[in-house]
Amino acid sequence: MGRAAAGRARRSRRGSAATASPGAGSRGGRVKKAGGSRTEPGEKEAAPGPDAFDLGAQSGRWAAFRERHRLSCEEAARLLLDAFEYRGLVKHTGGCHCGAIRFEVWASADLHVFNCNCSICTKKQNRHFIVPASRFKLLKGADNLTTYTFNTHRAQHTFCKTCGVQSFYTPRSNPDGYGIAPHCLDEGTVHSIVTEDINGKEWEKAMKEHKTIRDMSKP
């Protein structure tokens, strides 16, 4: 056998051995994970947790921040993300009269409030400001809410079963957001209120003529 043929034969034997043994190069077909543990064949590696990300030069500050405020990684991340995403806004809290319903909402300290004169808003004096759903969080009382609808049934007039107060609702103009009653907010976070009258008696016409109300529930 010539040298070239012998070389081809040796390469062929090595290739066959590699094909026959899929775990070649790792004992028993196991793959070593970071940290020394092993992954069995076909097993997916677990996604890294929040603490696994490389914070670089900020790792010391991150650890000190969590320790100082006694926060879990998730709590610290939420606090910092809220501060970034909602910059220029403040966190208002509020609820109904009896306290069964409690919520928090991110909005400006200077509120733009709508005063609608439609039949139901007149009856219940429904002055409200509008926020995207992502900026509203119901803290407690979901099982103590009841809802009234009429006409198109698009507006969801939610109120407390116990005291009857409507502290927030889903407006017809912005069904993907919330209308919040400024008078149901806790004291200390509202700087000013500007009130705009809306002609709810001619709702379709008012919505067509208004330039911004439909966009108020957009993040």
Side-chain angles (χ1 to χ4, degrees), residues 97 114 129 164 214-215:
H97 183 263
F114 293 106
F129 62 96
R214 294 283 202 166
D215 297 328

Side-chain angles (χ1 to χ4, degrees), residues 196-213:
E196 178 183 356
D197 291 334
I198 289 288
N199 184 16
K201 291 180 178 179
E202 298 179 280
W203 192 89
E204 288 81 4
K205 180 182 178 183
M207 293 302 104
K208 186 175 180 181
E209 292 176 350
H210 203 286
K211 303 300 182 185
T212 59
I213 191 169

